[in-house]
Amino acid sequence: MPGRVSARKGELSTSAQKVSSQPLRSRRTTASSNIAVPDEGPSSPLRTRICLIFADAQRSTATHRKLAVNLRKIQEECCYESTGRRNQDNEGDFREDDFNVEIARCVIRLMGVKKSEGAGDRVVRFLGLFLRRANDKDATLIPEVDVEDPQTFPDTPSNRLTSHILSILFPLLASKEKVVRYRATQLVAHIINSLDSVDDDSYQLIRGGLLKRVRDKEPMIRVQAVLGLGRLAGNEGEEDLDDVDSDGDDASGLLDKLLEVLQNDASAEVRRALLLNLPLAPKTLPFLLERARDVDFATRRALYTRLLPALGDFRHLSLSMREKLLRWGLRDRDENVRKATGKLFRERWIQDCVGSKGVSEHGTVQQSTPPNADGLLELLERIDVVNSAGSNGIAIEAMTGFWSGRRDYWDAMSFDDPFWDNLTPESVFVARSFNDFCKGEEDGKYEAIAEAKIPEVTKLAFFVQRYVNDLISSIRHNFAQSEDEPEQDTVEKEFIVEQLLHIAEALDYSDEIGRRKMFALLREILTIAELPEEITKLVVNVLHGICGSEATGEREFCGIVLEAIAEVHDNVMTDDQPADNEDESFHSARSELSESTPSKARSDTRTSRDGNNSEMDEEKAIREIMINMKCLHIAQCMLENVEGDLQQNIHLVTMLNNLVVPAVRSHEAPIRERGLLCLGLCCFLDKALAEENLTLFMHCFTKGHDALQVSALHILSDILIVHPKLVTADNIDPDLQKSVYKIFSKGLRASAAADVQSAATIALCKLMLMSVVRDEDLLKQLVMLFFDPASKENAAVTQALSYFLPVFCHSRWENMEMMAAVAASVLHHQVTLADEMEDEDGAIGVNTIGSMLVDWTDARKLVVQDASRSGWDEAGGKDAQAVNGDVHLTLAECLLERALAHGCPKDERKVLLTMVGKLYTTSNSSAEKLQVVSDLVVEAIDGKIATDTATKNALNKYHSILSKVLGEVGITQSNTEDQASDPTMGGNETQMEVELGVDENEVQSDEKPAGTDAQNILLDQLVLTLPQQPSTRYHSLVSSVDEMAKTVFITGATGLLGRIVFDTFVNAGWTTIGAGFSRAKPPSILKVDLEDQAAIETTLDDIKPSIIIHCAANRFPDQCEADPDSTRALNIASSRRLALAASSRSIFLIYLSTDYVFSGRPGEAPYEATSTPNPPNLYGQTKLAGEKAVLEVCENTGLAVVLRVPVLYGHAESNAESAVNVLIDAVWKAAQDKDAQGPMEMDDYSLRYPTNTEDVARVIVDIATRYLNADEARVAMPKILQFSGEQRFTKYQMCQILAGILGLPLDGMVGKGEDKDAKVARPYDTHLSTKVLKDLGVDVRTMDFTDWWYVLRVFRGVLRLILWTGKWR
């Protein structure tokens, strides 16, 4: 411990600085390109000691605390008088400024370190740790009298060092070099977050400098700037604005500026950094919660996993915000966001309602309290279950996740008789959601639980009757009460009845007594005129479920509902009748006595009676309207459940004639519109009726108001979907078709209301996707609507078209041709309006539009193609031949004709020719089309219509491609002609074998080659000469690796998989270094002993890779059992060593594992990445242990990921390298030795999913690129991935395929069942699910197993000739 403070401290600062909560006016600073670098001078012991500390700090963060202590000791020796050894050791008398200069020297050296270098980040973290520790130590040395004044900023060595470092960094914040700006901003941000206070001058300089960096063009710099400003914003009050300049960055509050950045910054990393670092305050909270709708999924996930749990009690949020957060999160398109929201609801929010026990300061649930029914009811009350449990509400989704994740509440909730006797909206929804969850699970595995807790049908019917009576009583009371009496609340009572009916809808009605009871009850309830519409709909749905969906049941159902409709109408009219009779009796009586009444009195009496009659007539008319609306609503609910033929159901015909048709003809608008809906539902059940009334619905759209137009569009589109022949039949009236198309065209126009436009857009998209409507004009109108800036205000239109247009084009060849036909006219329209669109917000540039049109017409992206244009098929990805390029040729023809047209504007011609240069052209296209387009290109070049360099280059490039393709077409045609004329080249395999003189019987002849080894060698050579299928047919969704300039280090690079991974990374443009041992080939394949930690670290320090692919392993189960010690050393210990070395250097690691980590018992597959492993043998056990070792080392850094793969096959140096390739030897042996000994046995029990090494290598490159691009976001990305082929074979089935390809008999081999006495246990079925990879966007399609091997077919005749006859023709 140092002694008294040295007098030397006063030499640097003689007066204490003042710190204030209000920032003072900042000094103006100017960026200087001349950075003052301290003079190196001769080396000194102080420099050596400090440099050694920084050298150790940049290697690993594990020793930072120890190094900070050592550096602090050096600082104390320089800044305080020593009581010990400095002079005795004769190390020199160094002063405080010497120490500060050496630290500053290291800081300056840090400024040039690139962001990709992990050493720079480690040094920055070390400096922040040291400054925080040094300030804490200095604070303990300040006399108490010095810290009594809170306005006094202590003058300590650490504060002076901080000020010195900041003075060096401030000019570098404005450097022209982005790396310097990044490191300077990063270090300033770390210093801010390491200190508790800073002097006013430094505060103002930091604030101004970082505010300028918030507008930096580099996102990585903006991230660091907001990290620092977020700390300052938490300490800046509103009164701080009084002391800032009125111009520049200080013109408004710091918090306001950061909130603006949060809303508008284009970088997701910047927004995410602000989300997690801005102070939680009433002003910032609404802006932070808005990030639940952020376009970046990682930002949305951060909100639900980090911000909301740390927010505190969710009950402080408003009711609307709670509902929005749940709805946005549970319906997010990213699965991880949905999972995070569900976890937040069932763990954090329920904990707030139950009690705060078990919740940490950061909002994470440390321990769960016992289930609490009252807490669950309060949680539902807090999300307003009455309003959020409707058809589009979020409550049912939230509770489904709750029941799935909180099984401890299953037994805690008791649905006994007292529960049902005292239902509340929250309690009845608990029962309904639990019942839906149990009944909704696959295979009905929880149905028994629901049946045990939910009352049987008869008992539930009594509860339904009770609560319906209570509801109707309240409704009638409110209707009959006077104005002074308070109304009874019926909303909650309606909700309770609705939930009971939802439960009834899911019950099992196999019990006849219960069925009859519920049937009679619902029949009675349906006749109640006051019954609310939602309850009426549920009653009808339950009745339909009881009756059944078969024809007999539907007729019974329709008859019951129509009886209820008639009873509702008759009851209401009967209720009116007594009053009328009473009036008539009264008037009749008065008439009898009127003879003795004076005429004047009779006149007054008649006038009064006429007025009363008028009021009564008006009341009666309103009542009739209400009754008719009620009857039509019941009919509508019934029609929504019926699917049979209208003409075969007499009840439906009766209802149509007596209720629906009169309603459509009614003069009352409400009745007419509801009748129209019922008529539309009837049209679904009868094509002739639909055809008759099609013009009626079109008339309603033409003459109706907005709501009626929307209804008419819905009815028209649904009718055309159900009866497409109305507009697609060969004998269709063209005028009718034109009228239908005109309706949709009118609805798409900008003059239409927003609801009408969105309804027309969605309806037309459905019809075009189903090929019901095929009209180029309508497609053109949709495309122009999508690009119209005005449509951005209609979110429904934009969202629908964003999904529709690419799906429409990429789903069918004919759709793509339609888009190509309208592309030129669309582009012409957009270019014409370009000047006007530039002034509007949200306008899309014409070049972007052109690129989108090219993408939509790219035939390579067709999902399913026919035989002539085959590409990727639905079954899993067989690339049969090159994709036909006729669509882009059609597009090119249209574009070039427009560009060559007289009067084509220069700007439009430039866009057209630019598009031409992006088109896909292949020899597998029409020769005629190729020639036509080639002539147009030549004409364009000769006419010199391209005026600028870019368009000239695009045109010349396309001309070169066309010339090459035309040449290939000519060669292909000539080769085909030569083959047809050459008698030695057969058109099929049979002809080839006949010419070679090979007969099938020769396989069984005695003529054999000299030795079996010769056969195997020749076969291996043939297998090794198989051409690799190019992986370019996979279109990666991530950025180009060429632009990343990354280095990869591959262990096991001489093995079966490692060789292909090595070549794939090389072809992808990576700097690739491999590691081997016995087969090393320096300099590309280094010899590295993975059991030597020093050798690993030396290799990594030399090549400095960005990523390591760990392929090295003992992967043969039999060898693992024979030598367990060496297996554990390589598969476990070496993996841990590699992970430690990689993690300490911030190198990302991909660990290759196996499907053998799972037991593979029958019925368990497919296995998800989250499934519980249970290895069946030592090989699987060691690979699983290796997984755990790697993920444990990199747990907090996100620098490792596991990729599990199944059995592999592919190009091998010897067949023994692969458990699949080696089957070729078995097939040969079975064919040769079948007569010499008994048949060979081959496993025909265990299921295998052979996967090609080329596919695995491609996926590894994709994973590497995605995870490296993710930077900090990869911490939240999945840690375990799985990849597998989908084709399933046993080994015997694979042998059958190989034998068929090689033309060998398989008589000498038989399949055998499960081998229970095997020395090494092998799983039955370990099929791996690739869901996680699909969610990441990785292409998981694989090569067809048979096709990959089938290339041997062309060698079949030659192979037989050589091996059996020794002849060569």
Side-chain angles (χ1 to χ4, degrees):
M1 189 69 182
R4 64 184 178 85
V5 178
S6 170
R8 189 163 54 250
K9 184 178 77 168
E11 296 177 5
L12 294 179
S13 176
T14 57
S15 61
Q17 301 174 1
K18 295 289 184 178
V19 64
S20 172
S21 60
Q22 298 181 356
L24 302 176
R25 295 182 181 273
S26 62
R27 298 191 300 260
R28 297 291 178 180
T29 60
T30 58
S32 173
S33 59
N34 298 323
I35 301 175
V37 180
D39 184 15
E40 294 288 342
S43 179
S44 64
L46 176 64
R47 176 179 299 177
T48 301
R49 295 173 65 189
I50 293 177
C51 288
L52 287 175
I53 289 176
F54 274 86
D56 291 338
Q58 70 180 339
R59 292 194 182 97
S60 173
T61 59
T63 58
H64 276 189
R65 292 184 180 276
K66 178 180 178 181
L67 295 174
V69 172
N70 295 338
L71 188 60
R72 171 61 184 177
K73 290 179 180 179
I74 298 175
Q75 185 187 31
E76 290 176 352
E77 292 176 6
C78 296
C79 302
Y80 298 94
E81 287 186 351
S82 175
T83 58
R85 302 171 41 202
R86 186 178 61 187
N87 293 329
Q88 297 176 5
D89 294 342
N90 197 24
E91 293 180 354
D93 189 10
F94 296 107
R95 303 163 65 89
E96 178 182 343
D97 53 354
D98 297 326
F99 177 83
N100 293 349
V101 166
E102 292 301 328
I103 296 296
R105 175 180 172 276
C106 294
V107 169
I108 292 177
R109 294 297 178 270
L110 173 66
M111 294 300 101
V113 180
K114 294 182 178 180
K115 180 179 181 292
S116 59
E117 296 291 341
D121 296 333
R122 290 189 284 272
V123 171
V124 170
R125 286 196 291 269
F126 172 70
L127 278 172
L129 176 65
F130 166 70
L131 291 176
R132 180 167 59 252
R133 182 179 182 86
N135 276 279
D136 294 342
K137 289 292 185 179
D138 284 340
T140 62
L141 302 177
I142 302 174
E144 294 184 2
V145 66
D146 293 342
V147 296
E148 288 179 356
D149 184 4
Q151 298 295 314
T152 301
F153 185 78
D155 187 21
T156 64
S158 297
N159 288 334
R160 292 193 293 272
L161 174 61
T162 302
S163 299
H164 182 59
I165 293 176
L166 290 175
S167 66
I168 294 174
L169 294 177
F170 288 144
L172 303 181
L173 291 174
S175 172
K176 294 181 179 180
E177 296 291 333
K178 66 178 181 181
V179 175
V180 176
R181 295 199 310 275
Y182 169 73
R183 288 300 180 189
T185 309
Q186 182 188 28
L187 189 52
V188 170
H190 269 268
I191 291 175
I192 294 173
N193 288 282
S194 301
L195 304 180
D196 295 327
S197 60
V198 69
D199 64 277
D200 280 343
D201 291 340
S202 297
Y203 174 85
Q204 294 296 339
L205 290 173
I206 292 172
R207 186 179 188 274
L210 292 183
L211 277 174
K212 289 183 173 63
R213 297 282 62 79
V214 167
R215 295 192 294 269
D216 198 284
K217 64 180 181 179
E218 297 295 335
M220 62 179 184
I221 299 174
R222 301 200 300 273
V223 169
Q224 299 302 324
V226 300
L227 287 176
L229 290 173
R231 174 72 183 278
L232 298 183
N235 299 323
E236 184 176 81
E238 295 181 359
E239 65 275 7
D240 295 337
L241 299 180
D242 299 334
D243 294 328
V244 299
D245 295 336
S246 60
D247 57 346
D249 292 317
D250 295 332
S252 61
L254 175 59
L255 197 56
D256 293 333
K257 290 181 177 294
L258 293 180
L259 292 176
E260 182 183 357
V261 173
L262 177 66
Q263 289 180 295
N264 302 314
D265 197 285
S267 172
E269 293 184 6
V270 176
R271 300 193 302 272
R272 188 160 58 251
L274 275 174
L275 174 71
L276 301 176
N277 288 276
L278 277 177
L280 296 176
K283 181 177 181 180
T284 60
L285 190 57
F287 296 92
L288 295 174
L289 298 181
E290 280 181 359
R291 292 303 96 200
R293 305 299 288 165
D294 197 282
V295 296
D296 176 60
F297 75 92
T299 302
R300 302 193 302 271
R301 186 167 66 245
L303 173 74
Y304 287 98
T305 57
R306 300 177 62 180
L307 180 68
L308 288 177
L311 188 60
D313 197 329
F314 82 100
R315 292 173 289 188
H316 296 307
L317 297 174
S318 65
L319 181 60
S320 63
M321 184 52 69
R322 295 175 214 153
E323 193 274 336
K324 286 180 180 178
L325 288 173
L326 272 183
R327 185 174 71 253
W328 293 340
L330 292 177
R331 295 177 180 174
D332 196 278
R333 57 182 174 270
D334 183 74
E335 183 181 3
N336 292 322
V337 177
R338 297 194 298 272
K339 289 180 179 178
T341 309
K343 184 177 181 181
L344 176 74
F345 178 79
R346 66 176 178 264
E347 293 184 5
R348 186 65 176 88
W349 285 13
I350 186 65
Q351 201 79 20
D352 290 338
C353 296
V354 173
S356 60
K357 180 181 178 181
V359 180
S360 68
E361 296 179 357
H362 303 288
T364 57
V365 178
Q366 297 175 330
Q367 58 181 5
S368 298
T369 58
N372 187 298
D374 293 335
L376 179 57
L377 296 180
E378 182 186 351
L379 175 61
L380 292 175
E381 182 183 0
R382 295 291 182 178
I383 64 172
D384 189 17
V385 70
V386 175
N387 293 315
S388 62
S391 58
N392 195 38
I394 199 63
I396 191 66
E397 297 176 38
M399 285 305 296
T400 300
F402 180 88
W403 294 119
S404 177
R406 295 300 301 268
R407 299 197 175 190
D408 51 337
Y409 271 82
W410 292 14
D411 296 329
M413 300 306 300
S414 176
F415 302 132
D416 51 11
D417 288 345
F419 173 88
W420 297 100
D421 291 335
N422 302 280
L423 288 178
T424 63
E426 292 76 25
S427 62
V428 72
F429 185 74
V430 169
R432 179 260 174 112
S433 63
F434 182 74
N435 185 65
D436 287 354
F437 168 74
C438 293
K439 296 294 180 66
E441 285 296 308
E442 296 180 359
D443 303 327
K445 56 183 178 181
Y446 298 142
E447 284 189 7
I449 300 176
E451 292 174 358
K453 286 183 171 290
I454 303 300
E456 65 277 7
V457 176
T458 304
K459 195 172 185 179
L460 184 67
F462 284 109
F463 290 125
V464 172
Q465 185 177 17
R466 171 186 167 184
Y467 286 100
V468 168
N469 291 339
D470 187 23
L471 170 63
I472 298 303
S473 176
S474 298
I475 293 175
R476 289 172 177 171
H477 174 270
N478 292 340
F479 182 76
Q481 71 173 1
S482 62
E483 295 182 357
D484 298 334
E485 296 182 17
E487 290 188 356
Q488 296 183 9
D489 184 17
T490 61
V491 175
E492 292 188 354
K493 295 180 180 180
E494 286 183 31
F495 182 80
I496 292 174
V497 175
E498 290 172 7
Q499 303 312 304
L500 289 174
L501 290 172
H502 278 295
I503 296 175
E505 194 173 3
L507 291 181
D508 181 10
Y509 290 95
S510 57
D511 177 23
E512 185 63 24
I513 297 177
R515 177 186 179 277
R516 290 180 180 180
K517 172 62 180 177
M518 184 65 76
F519 184 84
L521 173 63
L522 297 178
R523 165 69 176 78
E524 181 182 354
I525 292 175
L526 196 58
T527 62
I528 301 174
E530 297 88 352
L531 199 65
E533 288 193 350
E534 183 61 28
I535 295 179
T536 300
K537 180 178 180 180
L538 290 172
V539 169
V540 174
N541 292 345
V542 178
L543 271 175
H544 182 261
I546 294 175
C547 294
S549 57
E550 64 279 358
T552 305
E554 280 199 347
R555 282 195 293 270
E556 179 187 12
F557 167 67
C558 294
I560 293 298
V561 174
L562 287 182
E563 289 178 7
I565 292 175
E567 194 168 339
V568 168
H569 187 273
D570 293 345
N571 287 342
V572 175
M573 300 308 294
T574 302
D575 292 340
D576 291 341
Q577 192 65 32
D580 294 338
N581 293 339
E582 183 179 350
D583 275 349
E584 290 176 2
S585 301
F586 173 76
H587 293 310
S588 299
R590 292 296 296 263
S591 299
E592 292 173 0
L593 298 175
S594 62
E595 295 177 357
S596 59
T597 306
S599 60
K600 184 176 184 302
R602 289 199 301 271
S603 176
D604 293 341
T605 301
R606 189 182 304 110
T607 301
S608 175
R609 186 166 64 247
D610 292 342
N612 292 335
N613 288 339
S614 176
E615 293 177 0
M616 293 175 61
D617 291 342
E618 182 178 356
E619 182 179 352
K620 183 178 180 181
I622 295 175
R623 191 169 182 82
E624 286 182 356
I625 292 175
M626 295 176 61
I627 292 305
N628 286 328
M629 292 289 289
K630 176 68 177 178
C631 295
L632 286 169
H633 178 257
I634 299 175
Q636 179 182 343
C637 296
M638 178 191 69
L639 289 169
E640 289 173 352
N641 285 278
V642 176
E643 297 179 357
D645 188 352
L646 177 71
Q647 301 298 331
Q648 301 299 322
N649 194 325
I650 187 62
H651 302 293
L652 293 179
V653 176
T654 302
M655 179 207 63
L656 176 65
N657 296 329
N658 297 334
L659 180 62
V660 176
V661 173
V664 173
R665 295 173 178 174
S666 173
H667 296 291
E668 302 295 339
I671 296 178
R672 187 168 60 248
E673 292 175 12
R674 182 158 287 185
L676 195 70
L677 291 176
C678 293
L679 180 61
L681 291 170
C682 291
C683 290
F684 300 161
L685 307 177
D686 188 77
K687 181 181 177 182
L689 183 66
E691 189 173 5
E692 291 174 4
N693 292 281
L694 208 57
T695 54
L696 171 63
F697 298 124
M698 290 189 288
H699 177 77
C700 292
F701 175 85
T702 305
K703 301 296 183 181
H705 51 80
D706 292 347
L708 185 58
Q709 286 183 330
V710 172
S711 299
L713 286 170
H714 289 164
I715 295 171
L716 279 172
S717 62
D718 290 344
I719 287 177
L720 295 179
I721 290 174
V722 176
H723 308 295
K725 293 296 183 181
L726 293 176
V727 291
T728 59
D730 296 335
N731 57 350
I732 183 66
D733 183 4
D735 293 334
L736 176 63
Q737 186 185 61
K738 185 177 180 181
S739 299
V740 173
Y741 290 175
K742 185 177 180 181
I743 292 295
F744 289 107
S745 177
K746 185 177 179 181
L748 295 176
R749 293 174 187 169
S751 58
D755 292 342
V756 177
Q757 189 181 46
S758 60
T761 301
I762 295 172
L764 187 56
C765 289
K766 291 179 181 178
L767 293 170
M768 297 193 78
L769 280 174
M770 300 181 69
S771 298
V772 176
V773 173
R774 299 194 58 79
D775 184 76
E776 292 184 359
D777 291 335
L778 287 176
L779 177 61
K780 177 182 175 182
Q781 194 171 356
L782 284 175
V783 177
M784 291 191 296
L785 180 63
F786 177 67
F787 293 129
D788 187 0
S791 64
K792 302 301 179 184
E793 300 176 0
N794 194 332
V797 170
T798 304
Q799 186 175 8
L801 291 176
S802 298
Y803 169 81
F804 164 74
L805 290 171
V807 172
F808 173 77
C809 294
H810 297 157
S811 59
R812 293 175 183 268
W813 179 269
E814 295 78 9
N815 297 348
M816 194 170 281
E817 288 181 324
M818 281 181 61
M819 181 61 72
V822 304
S825 58
V826 168
L827 198 63
H828 170 69
H829 178 267
Q830 296 301 127
V831 172
T832 303
L833 301 177
D835 294 337
E836 301 176 8
M837 294 171 63
E838 287 179 359
D839 298 331
E840 298 186 28
D841 295 334
I844 304 177
V846 290
N847 289 323
T848 303
I849 294 173
S851 299
M852 296 176 74
L853 291 171
V854 170
D855 179 77
W856 291 341
T857 53
D858 191 342
R860 292 171 295 181
K861 296 189 177 182
L862 277 174
V863 176
V864 182
Q865 306 190 30
D866 58 31
S868 63
R869 312 175 185 94
S870 59
W872 290 105
D873 59 24
E874 289 178 325
K878 181 174 67 174
D879 193 6
Q881 63 186 62
V883 177
N884 189 298
D886 285 353
V887 175
H888 268 183
L889 288 176
T890 301
L891 178 59
E893 185 177 354
C894 297
L895 297 176
L896 290 169
E897 287 179 350
R898 174 59 191 166
L900 290 168
H902 179 71
C904 180
K906 180 180 178 181
D907 294 340
E908 180 180 352
R909 182 179 287 122
K910 180 178 179 180
V911 177
L912 294 170
L913 296 180
T914 302
M915 283 181 62
V916 168
K918 300 176 182 179
L919 300 180
Y920 169 72
T921 307
T922 175
S923 57
N924 188 32
S925 304
S926 168
E928 182 180 354
K929 283 182 175 290
L930 285 169
Q931 191 60 52
V932 170
V933 174
S934 178
D935 294 341
L936 288 172
V937 172
V938 171
E939 182 181 352
I941 294 175
D942 294 342
K944 298 182 179 180
I945 62 174
T947 56
D948 60 290
T949 304
T951 51
K952 288 179 181 178
N953 293 339
L955 203 57
N956 291 329
K957 174 185 175 183
Y958 192 61
H959 181 253
S960 301
I961 294 174
L962 283 173
S963 300
K964 180 180 178 181
V965 170
L966 284 170
E968 292 176 357
V969 171
I971 294 173
T972 302
Q973 292 173 344
S974 63
N975 286 346
T976 304
E977 294 171 358
D978 293 342
Q979 180 177 346
S981 61
D982 189 350
T984 63
M985 296 297 291
N988 52 52
E989 183 181 353
T990 303
Q991 292 175 338
M992 184 177 188
E993 292 179 353
V994 171
E995 290 299 325
L996 291 171
V998 179
D999 187 83
E1000 286 291 335
N1001 296 326
E1002 291 187 43
V1003 177
Q1004 302 177 4
S1005 68
D1006 294 332
E1007 298 182 17
K1008 296 183 180 179
T1012 305
D1013 293 339
Q1015 298 173 359
N1016 293 335
I1017 293 173
L1018 179 57
L1019 180 61
D1020 291 342
Q1021 291 175 349
L1022 287 173
V1023 173
L1024 291 173
T1025 56
L1026 299 180
Q1028 294 191 15
Q1029 298 188 23
S1031 58
T1032 54
R1033 58 193 176 92
Y1034 300 95
H1035 301 285
S1036 179
L1037 301 179
V1038 295
S1039 60
S1040 174
V1041 182
D1042 293 336
E1043 301 175 358
M1044 298 171 55
K1046 299 296 185 181
T1047 301
V1048 60
F1049 178 58
I1050 303 170
T1051 67
T1054 58
L1056 174 71
L1057 177 61
R1059 290 193 302 271
I1060 304 301
V1061 173
F1062 186 95
D1063 294 340
T1064 305
F1065 271 101
V1066 170
N1067 294 334
W1070 292 62
T1071 301
T1072 308
I1073 304 295
F1077 192 73
S1078 60
R1079 293 181 287 180
K1081 299 176 182 178
S1084 59
I1085 308 294
L1086 305 177
K1087 184 174 183 178
V1088 181
D1089 184 1
L1090 295 181
E1091 296 184 9
D1092 186 347
Q1093 184 71 35
I1096 294 174
E1097 294 181 351
T1098 301
T1099 303
L1100 296 182
D1101 291 338
D1102 289 342
I1103 64 178
K1104 295 181 174 58
S1106 305
I1107 188 168
I1108 299 173
I1109 314 298
H1110 187 28
C1111 299
N1114 186 348
R1115 55 188 176 82
F1116 298 102
D1118 294 319
Q1119 294 181 10
C1120 293
E1121 297 288 345
D1123 191 359
D1125 293 336
S1126 62
T1127 299
R1128 292 188 179 96
L1130 179 58
N1131 291 0
I1132 305 175
S1134 295
S1135 300
R1136 180 182 294 276
R1137 292 189 196 95
L1138 195 62
L1140 287 170
S1143 179
S1144 64
R1145 292 162 175 78
S1146 297
I1147 302 172
F1148 190 73
L1149 172 66
I1150 298 180
Y1151 173 82
L1152 270 295
S1153 188
T1154 174
D1155 58 342
Y1156 272 35
V1157 299
F1158 296 114
S1159 62
R1161 287 190 288 265
E1164 292 184 352
Y1167 291 96
E1168 300 292 341
T1170 55
S1171 298
T1172 303
N1174 185 16
N1177 52 40
L1178 180 62
Y1179 168 60
Q1181 294 168 6
T1182 58
K1183 293 301 291 182
L1184 178 61
E1187 288 184 12
K1188 295 179 178 178
V1190 169
L1191 295 179
E1192 180 182 346
V1193 170
C1194 305
E1195 180 179 5
N1196 299 321
T1197 61
L1199 288 174
V1201 67
V1202 171
L1203 176 62
R1204 295 170 180 159
V1205 296
V1207 63
L1208 303 178
Y1209 71 95
H1211 302 283
E1213 292 182 353
S1214 67
N1215 288 336
E1217 282 190 319
S1218 166
V1220 177
N1221 291 38
V1222 77
L1223 297 178
I1224 297 177
D1225 297 339
V1227 171
W1228 273 104
K1229 185 175 181 181
Q1232 295 170 3
D1233 302 338
K1234 68 173 183 174
D1235 297 330
Q1237 54 188 3
M1240 177 189 301
E1241 291 186 342
M1242 184 59 64
D1243 178 34
D1244 197 22
Y1245 171 74
S1246 299
L1247 302 179
R1248 297 290 179 260
Y1249 298 83
T1251 304
N1252 198 283
T1253 52
E1254 296 175 42
D1255 289 320
V1256 178
R1258 169 183 56 80
V1259 169
I1260 290 174
V1261 173
D1262 204 347
I1263 293 171
T1265 306
R1266 291 175 187 276
Y1267 274 74
L1268 287 184
N1269 284 349
D1271 291 332
E1272 298 176 0
R1274 65 170 168 258
V1275 176
M1277 295 175 72
K1279 301 300 185 297
I1280 298 180
L1281 309 174
Q1282 297 182 161
F1283 177 62
S1284 171
E1286 298 298 327
Q1287 293 176 294
R1288 181 177 65 189
F1289 307 104
T1290 64
K1291 284 189 176 181
Y1292 181 68
Q1293 290 170 340
M1294 286 188 272
C1295 288
Q1296 289 177 318
I1297 294 173
L1298 295 174
I1301 293 173
L1302 295 173
L1304 296 175
L1306 206 59
D1307 301 340
M1309 180 182 293
V1310 295
K1312 69 173 181 176
E1314 181 181 6
D1315 186 2
K1316 297 183 179 180
D1317 299 327
K1319 295 181 180 179
V1320 179
R1322 283 177 167 80
Y1324 166 70
D1325 183 2
T1326 55
H1327 186 202
L1328 299 175
S1329 168
T1330 59
K1331 181 178 183 300
V1332 178
L1333 281 178
K1334 291 178 182 177
D1335 293 342
L1336 289 175
V1338 177
D1339 188 347
V1340 297
R1341 294 174 292 183
T1342 56
M1343 300 179 186
D1344 183 86
F1345 179 80
T1346 305
D1347 284 1
W1348 193 85
W1349 290 104
Y1350 206 76
V1351 70
L1352 280 175
R1353 180 176 62 86
V1354 299
F1355 299 112
R1356 181 185 300 174
V1358 178
L1359 184 63
R1360 291 177 181 167
L1361 190 64
I1362 295 174
L1363 296 181
W1364 269 270
T1365 67
K1367 300 176 183 179
W1368 178 267
R1369 177 172 295 185

